[in-house]
Amino acid sequence: MKTAQQLQSTLQHLDGKSYKAYKDIRGSYAFEGFELSIDQVQGDPFAAPSRVRVRIRNTFPDWAQVNKSRRIALCDYLNRQFSRACRRFSKGNRGSGKSGAVFIAQPGQEILERTAVVLGEDWIEARFRVGLPAFGRRIAGRQAAAIFGEEIPQIVAHSLPFAVQDETILKEHIFTNEDADALRVRLPELGLVVFVADGALLPRASGVDDRPMPGGLPFQSPESLRVEVALPNRTITGMGIPEGITLIVGGGFHGKSTLLRAIELGIYNHIPGDGRSFVVSQPGAAKIRAEDGRYIERVDISPFINNLPGGQSTQQFSTPNASGSTSQAANVMEALEAGATALLIDEDTSATNFMIRDQRMQALIPQQREPITPFVDRIRQLYEEQSVSTVLVLGGSGLYLDAADTVIGMNAYRPEDLTARARSVAQEFPQPRSVETPAAFPTQSRRIPLPESLNAQKGKREKVRAFDTRSIQFGQHDIDLSAVAQLVDNGQLNAVADALLYLRRYLGEATLPEALNRIMQDIEQQGLGVLQKEPHGDYAAFRPLELAAALNRLRGLRVNPREAS
Ligand code: ADP
Ligand code: MG
């Protein structure tokens, strides 16, 4: 290994040379207190900044890392510290392109397993990026020497060692994550889909700012739904939403969608101070919405849609351009295929004809001429035959009152238990409409994706990359993920993009759920790094549901249908 001084003199020596000469600095260097590796050097000052790693000795006490929850929280915490230190000590962009930028993946409100900071037996590694500086296309060697000689050592010294941490804040971060994980594990035995803690703050600062809304009204559970849970580091109370069918009703603007959004994101843990640290949902809770225009490949949507005018089969329904109702039906069936245990639906983002059909419409359009069996006539079956719960926000129609096990009314951001009241209303105003429940909910047909249809070729090379949190370029195709509501972090998209490539090794014979199981098992056993060719810090953890969502939206995907036995 070379020394830090050698790196300094190489950089001085490169000053003024052509940018390509930066390749010479690849390699590992011994710094005071850490080791630095330059793994990949960008081709020009405008390209993605170069990949760099630092490794220091892990001197964190056991309490910070004795189990997986705590290790994930510790890494997440150090990632944030490192990011903060970059902003403080990096002098930022100077020169052309991304010259001088020093940055690491920037976590949002969620505590996620990531590859930006990883723990080994006795080391901690941070993986970040440096925009190697240039003026025009000439190496700015002296500026580079300052980045590696002054800025990075300061960033490392102020962020990674145990000695510089505020122990109280670190503990709260770690214990919060451990408690949220423990709570999620306990949901099945409590018979709950989701738990919303008393005191939680659900609304966000704005549509583009995911931090808590200042001055928002803290959550307070109605007594009849209140549950007390003892966790490793605290005991909390809050509202438990039981398995089964739950309606969230109430006037417009009373906080229904805000509650559902918090439930959607309750599949993730949140940092202390976020307000949703103990809003925790089943890991298999899936947001379902309408998404007209999406691609669908041989999905069995027959439970909801049958007898299309063109005579097209709905047991293997394909389209490059789905309607509102067919897209929502496909979203339900695909979520079930990928292992969803609960469906989360908001009227704001649903197709009305998928959700309901009332008596008058039944009279006007006879059932033989209406392909859609509305969700209201399937919702109980889903629970009773498939054990899949639904949490549904619905202010505009009472048709679901008969199906509901629990009715929560939001009144000026306060939840009330309206279950009993809803029952008597349902009796007082019986629904004259006829129930359209046909045969039993079919066992899912399990599709077998064809590996050759996951073609990432663009020109001579395979090209796969993620854009923000909303789309993935996969060869010739752009996978539009803007309607996949439970993807929250750029790192998740980076990981999902590469997981699509990785998935191909398990395709051919396997059904989609089998292939998903295998990839998730590999990640569980070997970490997210199993997806990378070389170590980098650009990944965050994702669920099989979101990987399936990306695959299902890949235009070009082909599957062989195999009827379940
Ligand atoms: P609904 O779906 O019932 O129409 P929303 O959930 O969209 O209502 O909420 C309406 C508005 O109220 C939003 O701007 C939201 O940020 C705000 N809001 C929601 N919950 C709270 C709360 N607990 N305290 C303060 N404001 C809230
Ligand atoms: Mg709403």
mmCIF file of all heavy atoms in Angstrom, residues 371-409:
data_model
loop_
_atom_site.group_PDB
_atom_site.id
_atom_site.type_symbol
_atom_site.label_atom_id
_atom_site.label_comp_id
_atom_site.label_asym_id
_atom_site.label_seq_id
_atom_site.Cartn_x
_atom_site.Cartn_y
_atom_site.Cartn_z
ATOM 1 N N PRO A 371 -67.907 -5.514 -17.752
ATOM 2 C CA PRO A 371 -66.839 -6.474 -17.475
ATOM 3 C C PRO A 371 -66.332 -6.424 -16.029
ATOM 4 O O PRO A 371 -65.725 -7.373 -15.572
ATOM 5 C CB PRO A 371 -65.716 -6.065 -18.437
ATOM 6 C CG PRO A 371 -66.321 -5.099 -19.400
ATOM 7 C CD PRO A 371 -67.514 -4.501 -18.739
ATOM 8 N N ILE A 372 -66.593 -5.327 -15.331
ATOM 9 C CA ILE A 372 -65.914 -5.142 -14.043
ATOM 10 C C ILE A 372 -66.728 -5.697 -12.878
ATOM 11 O O ILE A 372 -67.902 -5.404 -12.725
ATOM 12 C CB ILE A 372 -65.650 -3.646 -13.790
ATOM 13 C CG1 ILE A 372 -64.805 -3.066 -14.940
ATOM 14 C CG2 ILE A 372 -64.927 -3.448 -12.457
ATOM 15 C CD1 ILE A 372 -64.574 -1.581 -14.822
ATOM 16 N N THR A 373 -66.082 -6.511 -12.062
ATOM 17 C CA THR A 373 -66.611 -6.860 -10.747
ATOM 18 C C THR A 373 -65.929 -5.911 -9.769
ATOM 19 O O THR A 373 -64.724 -5.995 -9.589
ATOM 20 C CB THR A 373 -66.245 -8.305 -10.358
ATOM 21 O OG1 THR A 373 -66.746 -9.182 -11.358
ATOM 22 C CG2 THR A 373 -66.819 -8.666 -8.997
ATOM 23 N N PRO A 374 -66.683 -4.998 -9.182
ATOM 24 C CA PRO A 374 -65.987 -3.988 -8.380
ATOM 25 C C PRO A 374 -65.330 -4.588 -7.139
ATOM 26 O O PRO A 374 -65.748 -5.629 -6.632
ATOM 27 C CB PRO A 374 -67.095 -3.005 -8.009
ATOM 28 C CG PRO A 374 -68.367 -3.739 -8.187
ATOM 29 C CD PRO A 374 -68.134 -4.796 -9.221
ATOM 30 N N PHE A 375 -64.289 -3.899 -6.675
ATOM 31 C CA PHE A 375 -63.498 -4.351 -5.535
ATOM 32 C C PHE A 375 -64.374 -4.610 -4.311
ATOM 33 O O PHE A 375 -64.105 -5.506 -3.522
ATOM 34 C CB PHE A 375 -62.428 -3.293 -5.240
ATOM 35 C CG PHE A 375 -61.386 -3.741 -4.257
ATOM 36 C CD1 PHE A 375 -60.448 -4.707 -4.608
ATOM 37 C CD2 PHE A 375 -61.331 -3.197 -2.983
ATOM 38 C CE1 PHE A 375 -59.482 -5.124 -3.694
ATOM 39 C CE2 PHE A 375 -60.364 -3.609 -2.072
ATOM 40 C CZ PHE A 375 -59.437 -4.575 -2.432
ATOM 41 N N VAL A 376 -65.456 -3.832 -4.188
ATOM 42 C CA VAL A 376 -66.331 -3.988 -3.019
ATOM 43 C C VAL A 376 -66.890 -5.407 -2.933
ATOM 44 O O VAL A 376 -67.143 -5.916 -1.844
ATOM 45 C CB VAL A 376 -67.471 -2.932 -3.031
ATOM 46 C CG1 VAL A 376 -68.428 -3.150 -4.202
ATOM 47 C CG2 VAL A 376 -68.238 -2.921 -1.724
ATOM 48 N N ASP A 377 -67.024 -6.074 -4.080
ATOM 49 C CA ASP A 377 -67.569 -7.429 -4.077
ATOM 50 C C ASP A 377 -66.487 -8.505 -3.960
ATOM 51 O O ASP A 377 -66.778 -9.695 -4.011
ATOM 52 C CB ASP A 377 -68.408 -7.662 -5.334
ATOM 53 C CG ASP A 377 -69.696 -6.837 -5.287
ATOM 54 O OD1 ASP A 377 -70.172 -6.555 -4.176
ATOM 55 O OD2 ASP A 377 -70.193 -6.457 -6.363
ATOM 56 N N ARG A 378 -65.240 -8.104 -3.831
ATOM 57 C CA ARG A 378 -64.138 -9.055 -3.696
ATOM 58 C C ARG A 378 -63.392 -8.880 -2.374
ATOM 59 O O ARG A 378 -62.593 -9.724 -1.986
ATOM 60 C CB ARG A 378 -63.135 -8.855 -4.840
ATOM 61 C CG ARG A 378 -63.611 -9.338 -6.193
ATOM 62 C CD ARG A 378 -63.770 -10.840 -6.208
ATOM 63 N NE ARG A 378 -63.845 -11.359 -7.565
ATOM 64 C CZ ARG A 378 -64.020 -12.660 -7.842
ATOM 65 N NH1 ARG A 378 -64.137 -13.538 -6.874
ATOM 66 N NH2 ARG A 378 -64.075 -13.070 -9.082
ATOM 67 N N ILE A 379 -63.639 -7.771 -1.718
ATOM 68 C CA ILE A 379 -62.780 -7.398 -0.601
ATOM 69 C C ILE A 379 -62.852 -8.419 0.542
ATOM 70 O O ILE A 379 -61.840 -8.773 1.136
ATOM 71 C CB ILE A 379 -63.109 -5.950 -0.141
ATOM 72 C CG1 ILE A 379 -62.075 -5.415 0.832
ATOM 73 C CG2 ILE A 379 -64.514 -5.862 0.467
ATOM 74 C CD1 ILE A 379 -62.197 -3.913 1.089
ATOM 75 N N ARG A 380 -64.056 -8.964 0.815
ATOM 76 C CA ARG A 380 -64.180 -9.927 1.921
ATOM 77 C C ARG A 380 -63.551 -11.265 1.546
ATOM 78 O O ARG A 380 -62.911 -11.922 2.354
ATOM 79 C CB ARG A 380 -65.638 -10.130 2.322
ATOM 80 C CG ARG A 380 -66.155 -9.030 3.218
ATOM 81 C CD ARG A 380 -66.849 -9.563 4.478
ATOM 82 N NE ARG A 380 -65.959 -10.204 5.428
ATOM 83 C CZ ARG A 380 -65.303 -9.547 6.390
ATOM 84 N NH1 ARG A 380 -65.416 -8.248 6.550
ATOM 85 N NH2 ARG A 380 -64.512 -10.194 7.202
ATOM 86 N N GLN A 381 -63.768 -11.622 0.261
ATOM 87 C CA GLN A 381 -63.162 -12.865 -0.213
ATOM 88 C C GLN A 381 -61.653 -12.838 -0.062
ATOM 89 O O GLN A 381 -61.038 -13.821 0.326
ATOM 90 C CB GLN A 381 -63.467 -13.011 -1.700
ATOM 91 C CG GLN A 381 -64.602 -13.940 -2.000
ATOM 92 C CD GLN A 381 -64.688 -14.140 -3.494
ATOM 93 O OE1 GLN A 381 -64.506 -13.197 -4.264
ATOM 94 N NE2 GLN A 381 -64.975 -15.357 -3.899
ATOM 95 N N LEU A 382 -61.073 -11.702 -0.396
ATOM 96 C CA LEU A 382 -59.622 -11.572 -0.299
ATOM 97 C C LEU A 382 -59.163 -11.857 1.120
ATOM 98 O O LEU A 382 -58.129 -12.483 1.336
ATOM 99 C CB LEU A 382 -59.202 -10.144 -0.677
ATOM 100 C CG LEU A 382 -58.766 -9.932 -2.111
ATOM 101 C CD1 LEU A 382 -58.512 -8.458 -2.371
ATOM 102 C CD2 LEU A 382 -57.496 -10.736 -2.386
ATOM 103 N N TYR A 383 -59.924 -11.379 2.071
ATOM 104 C CA TYR A 383 -59.531 -11.613 3.457
ATOM 105 C C TYR A 383 -59.853 -13.050 3.881
ATOM 106 O O TYR A 383 -59.018 -13.743 4.457
ATOM 107 C CB TYR A 383 -60.222 -10.609 4.384
ATOM 108 C CG TYR A 383 -59.822 -10.816 5.816
ATOM 109 C CD1 TYR A 383 -58.474 -10.781 6.174
ATOM 110 C CD2 TYR A 383 -60.760 -11.080 6.805
ATOM 111 C CE1 TYR A 383 -58.076 -10.995 7.488
ATOM 112 C CE2 TYR A 383 -60.369 -11.290 8.117
ATOM 113 C CZ TYR A 383 -59.030 -11.248 8.453
ATOM 114 O OH TYR A 383 -58.634 -11.473 9.744
ATOM 115 N N GLU A 384 -61.043 -13.510 3.564
ATOM 116 C CA GLU A 384 -61.449 -14.816 4.078
ATOM 117 C C GLU A 384 -60.763 -15.974 3.366
ATOM 118 O O GLU A 384 -60.435 -16.975 3.994
ATOM 119 C CB GLU A 384 -62.986 -14.940 4.015
ATOM 120 C CG GLU A 384 -63.605 -14.291 5.253
ATOM 121 C CD GLU A 384 -65.024 -13.789 5.053
ATOM 122 O OE1 GLU A 384 -65.705 -14.326 4.161
ATOM 123 O OE2 GLU A 384 -65.424 -12.861 5.789
ATOM 124 N N GLU A 385 -60.501 -15.816 2.069
ATOM 125 C CA GLU A 385 -59.878 -16.924 1.342
ATOM 126 C C GLU A 385 -58.364 -16.792 1.231
ATOM 127 O O GLU A 385 -57.659 -17.781 1.153
ATOM 128 C CB GLU A 385 -60.483 -17.041 -0.061
ATOM 129 C CG GLU A 385 -61.954 -17.461 -0.023
ATOM 130 C CD GLU A 385 -62.609 -17.395 -1.389
ATOM 131 O OE1 GLU A 385 -61.886 -17.394 -2.412
ATOM 132 O OE2 GLU A 385 -63.859 -17.315 -1.431
ATOM 133 N N GLN A 386 -57.875 -15.554 1.193
ATOM 134 C CA GLN A 386 -56.432 -15.360 0.993
ATOM 135 C C GLN A 386 -55.748 -14.730 2.200
ATOM 136 O O GLN A 386 -54.544 -14.487 2.164
ATOM 137 C CB GLN A 386 -56.173 -14.458 -0.225
ATOM 138 C CG GLN A 386 -56.998 -14.763 -1.462
ATOM 139 C CD GLN A 386 -56.343 -15.808 -2.343
ATOM 140 O OE1 GLN A 386 -55.138 -15.802 -2.507
ATOM 141 N NE2 GLN A 386 -57.127 -16.712 -2.886
ATOM 142 N N SER A 387 -56.494 -14.421 3.242
ATOM 143 C CA SER A 387 -55.953 -13.758 4.438
ATOM 144 C C SER A 387 -55.273 -12.435 4.123
ATOM 145 O O SER A 387 -54.289 -12.065 4.764
ATOM 146 C CB SER A 387 -54.946 -14.645 5.171
ATOM 147 O OG SER A 387 -55.535 -15.851 5.511
ATOM 148 N N VAL A 388 -55.756 -11.751 3.105
ATOM 149 C CA VAL A 388 -55.183 -10.455 2.758
ATOM 150 C C VAL A 388 -56.114 -9.350 3.264
ATOM 151 O O VAL A 388 -57.268 -9.258 2.860
ATOM 152 C CB VAL A 388 -54.968 -10.332 1.234
ATOM 153 C CG1 VAL A 388 -54.526 -8.930 0.858
ATOM 154 C CG2 VAL A 388 -53.939 -11.359 0.775
ATOM 155 N N SER A 389 -55.596 -8.551 4.171
ATOM 156 C CA SER A 389 -56.368 -7.451 4.751
ATOM 157 C C SER A 389 -56.384 -6.260 3.803
ATOM 158 O O SER A 389 -55.525 -6.143 2.927
ATOM 159 C CB SER A 389 -55.748 -7.002 6.070
ATOM 160 O OG SER A 389 -55.747 -8.058 7.004
ATOM 161 N N THR A 390 -57.352 -5.368 4.001
ATOM 162 C CA THR A 390 -57.371 -4.124 3.224
ATOM 163 C C THR A 390 -57.619 -2.947 4.164
ATOM 164 O O THR A 390 -58.465 -3.031 5.052
ATOM 165 C CB THR A 390 -58.484 -4.144 2.157
ATOM 166 O OG1 THR A 390 -58.263 -5.249 1.271
ATOM 167 C CG2 THR A 390 -58.499 -2.859 1.342
ATOM 168 N N VAL A 391 -56.851 -1.890 3.967
ATOM 169 C CA VAL A 391 -57.129 -0.616 4.631
ATOM 170 C C VAL A 391 -57.492 0.364 3.524
ATOM 171 O O VAL A 391 -56.723 0.565 2.583
ATOM 172 C CB VAL A 391 -55.913 -0.091 5.417
ATOM 173 C CG1 VAL A 391 -56.250 1.238 6.084
ATOM 174 C CG2 VAL A 391 -55.451 -1.112 6.451
ATOM 175 N N LEU A 392 -58.681 0.935 3.651
ATOM 176 C CA LEU A 392 -59.262 1.664 2.538
ATOM 177 C C LEU A 392 -59.704 3.052 2.986
ATOM 178 O O LEU A 392 -60.468 3.182 3.934
ATOM 179 C CB LEU A 392 -60.472 0.839 2.074
ATOM 180 C CG LEU A 392 -61.256 1.259 0.870
ATOM 181 C CD1 LEU A 392 -60.356 1.256 -0.346
ATOM 182 C CD2 LEU A 392 -62.397 0.263 0.665
ATOM 183 N N VAL A 393 -59.226 4.085 2.302
ATOM 184 C CA VAL A 393 -59.702 5.441 2.558
ATOM 185 C C VAL A 393 -60.852 5.741 1.611
ATOM 186 O O VAL A 393 -60.696 5.626 0.397
ATOM 187 C CB VAL A 393 -58.586 6.477 2.324
ATOM 188 C CG1 VAL A 393 -59.167 7.887 2.258
ATOM 189 C CG2 VAL A 393 -57.538 6.389 3.417
ATOM 190 N N LEU A 394 -62.000 6.068 2.179
ATOM 191 C CA LEU A 394 -63.164 6.276 1.326
ATOM 192 C C LEU A 394 -64.114 7.249 2.010
ATOM 193 O O LEU A 394 -64.772 6.907 2.989
ATOM 194 C CB LEU A 394 -63.862 4.921 1.110
ATOM 195 C CG LEU A 394 -64.736 4.814 -0.117
ATOM 196 C CD1 LEU A 394 -63.917 4.940 -1.382
ATOM 197 C CD2 LEU A 394 -65.453 3.475 -0.119
ATOM 198 N N GLY A 395 -64.202 8.453 1.480
ATOM 199 C CA GLY A 395 -65.116 9.419 2.068
ATOM 200 C C GLY A 395 -66.383 9.574 1.251
ATOM 201 O O GLY A 395 -67.388 10.067 1.728
ATOM 202 N N GLY A 396 -66.347 9.120 -0.004
ATOM 203 C CA GLY A 396 -67.410 9.466 -0.930
ATOM 204 C C GLY A 396 -68.471 8.418 -1.158
ATOM 205 O O GLY A 396 -69.449 8.682 -1.847
ATOM 206 N N SER A 397 -68.306 7.217 -0.616
ATOM 207 C CA SER A 397 -69.318 6.182 -0.849
ATOM 208 C C SER A 397 -69.465 5.298 0.379
ATOM 209 O O SER A 397 -68.482 4.929 1.012
ATOM 210 C CB SER A 397 -68.930 5.320 -2.052
ATOM 211 O OG SER A 397 -69.716 4.141 -2.048
ATOM 212 N N GLY A 398 -70.721 4.975 0.701
ATOM 213 C CA GLY A 398 -70.991 4.118 1.853
ATOM 214 C C GLY A 398 -71.108 2.652 1.491
ATOM 215 O O GLY A 398 -71.430 1.826 2.339
ATOM 216 N N LEU A 399 -70.840 2.318 0.220
ATOM 217 C CA LEU A 399 -71.048 0.934 -0.219
ATOM 218 C C LEU A 399 -70.194 -0.068 0.551
ATOM 219 O O LEU A 399 -70.543 -1.230 0.656
ATOM 220 C CB LEU A 399 -70.745 0.799 -1.713
ATOM 221 C CG LEU A 399 -71.779 1.327 -2.701
ATOM 222 C CD1 LEU A 399 -71.449 0.847 -4.110
ATOM 223 C CD2 LEU A 399 -73.182 0.861 -2.318
ATOM 224 N N TYR A 400 -69.079 0.386 1.075
ATOM 225 C CA TYR A 400 -68.172 -0.530 1.752
ATOM 226 C C TYR A 400 -68.530 -0.790 3.214
ATOM 227 O O TYR A 400 -67.909 -1.619 3.864
ATOM 228 C CB TYR A 400 -66.726 -0.027 1.664
ATOM 229 C CG TYR A 400 -66.059 -0.335 0.338
ATOM 230 C CD1 TYR A 400 -66.254 0.478 -0.772
ATOM 231 C CD2 TYR A 400 -65.229 -1.444 0.192
ATOM 232 C CE1 TYR A 400 -65.644 0.196 -1.990
ATOM 233 C CE2 TYR A 400 -64.610 -1.737 -1.009
ATOM 234 C CZ TYR A 400 -64.825 -0.914 -2.108
ATOM 235 O OH TYR A 400 -64.219 -1.208 -3.295
ATOM 236 N N LEU A 401 -69.524 -0.048 3.724
ATOM 237 C CA LEU A 401 -69.823 -0.190 5.159
ATOM 238 C C LEU A 401 -70.188 -1.622 5.518
ATOM 239 O O LEU A 401 -69.841 -2.112 6.598
ATOM 240 C CB LEU A 401 -70.971 0.747 5.565
ATOM 241 C CG LEU A 401 -70.643 2.240 5.573
ATOM 242 C CD1 LEU A 401 -71.826 3.035 6.110
ATOM 243 C CD2 LEU A 401 -69.382 2.535 6.387
ATOM 244 N N ASP A 402 -70.878 -2.331 4.599
ATOM 245 C CA ASP A 402 -71.290 -3.703 4.908
ATOM 246 C C ASP A 402 -70.096 -4.647 5.024
ATOM 247 O O ASP A 402 -70.147 -5.626 5.742
ATOM 248 C CB ASP A 402 -72.229 -4.219 3.805
ATOM 249 C CG ASP A 402 -73.459 -3.331 3.678
ATOM 250 O OD1 ASP A 402 -74.260 -3.338 4.609
ATOM 251 O OD2 ASP A 402 -73.578 -2.613 2.662
ATOM 252 N N ALA A 403 -69.036 -4.338 4.310
ATOM 253 C CA ALA A 403 -67.890 -5.256 4.273
ATOM 254 C C ALA A 403 -66.899 -5.004 5.407
ATOM 255 O O ALA A 403 -66.048 -5.849 5.683
ATOM 256 C CB ALA A 403 -67.168 -5.122 2.934
ATOM 257 N N ALA A 404 -67.008 -3.863 6.077
ATOM 258 C CA ALA A 404 -65.931 -3.454 6.980
ATOM 259 C C ALA A 404 -65.973 -4.158 8.338
ATOM 260 O O ALA A 404 -67.036 -4.380 8.900
ATOM 261 C CB ALA A 404 -65.999 -1.945 7.186
ATOM 262 N N ASP A 405 -64.803 -4.492 8.854
ATOM 263 C CA ASP A 405 -64.673 -4.982 10.226
ATOM 264 C C ASP A 405 -64.454 -3.826 11.189
ATOM 265 O O ASP A 405 -64.871 -3.867 12.337
ATOM 266 C CB ASP A 405 -63.472 -5.931 10.340
ATOM 267 C CG ASP A 405 -63.630 -7.159 9.469
ATOM 268 O OD1 ASP A 405 -64.647 -7.856 9.620
ATOM 269 O OD2 ASP A 405 -62.739 -7.412 8.627
ATOM 270 N N THR A 406 -63.740 -2.828 10.698
ATOM 271 C CA THR A 406 -63.399 -1.686 11.530
ATOM 272 C C THR A 406 -63.604 -0.419 10.710
ATOM 273 O O THR A 406 -63.231 -0.381 9.537
ATOM 274 C CB THR A 406 -61.904 -1.736 11.948
ATOM 275 O OG1 THR A 406 -61.649 -3.017 12.540
ATOM 276 C CG2 THR A 406 -61.549 -0.646 12.945
ATOM 277 N N VAL A 407 -64.221 0.584 11.326
ATOM 278 C CA VAL A 407 -64.392 1.858 10.625
ATOM 279 C C VAL A 407 -63.781 2.958 11.494
ATOM 280 O O VAL A 407 -64.174 3.150 12.641
ATOM 281 C CB VAL A 407 -65.875 2.160 10.344
ATOM 282 C CG1 VAL A 407 -66.022 3.508 9.637
ATOM 283 C CG2 VAL A 407 -66.505 1.053 9.509
ATOM 284 N N ILE A 408 -62.795 3.639 10.932
ATOM 285 C CA ILE A 408 -62.136 4.724 11.648
ATOM 286 C C ILE A 408 -62.566 6.034 10.995
ATOM 287 O O ILE A 408 -62.435 6.194 9.778
ATOM 288 C CB ILE A 408 -60.603 4.574 11.573
ATOM 289 C CG1 ILE A 408 -60.175 3.281 12.292
ATOM 290 C CG2 ILE A 408 -59.890 5.785 12.171
ATOM 291 C CD1 ILE A 408 -58.756 2.866 11.990
ATOM 292 N N GLY A 409 -63.107 6.935 11.808
ATOM 293 C CA GLY A 409 -63.503 8.228 11.268
ATOM 294 C C GLY A 409 -62.443 9.255 11.623
ATOM 295 O O GLY A 409 -62.040 9.363 12.777
#
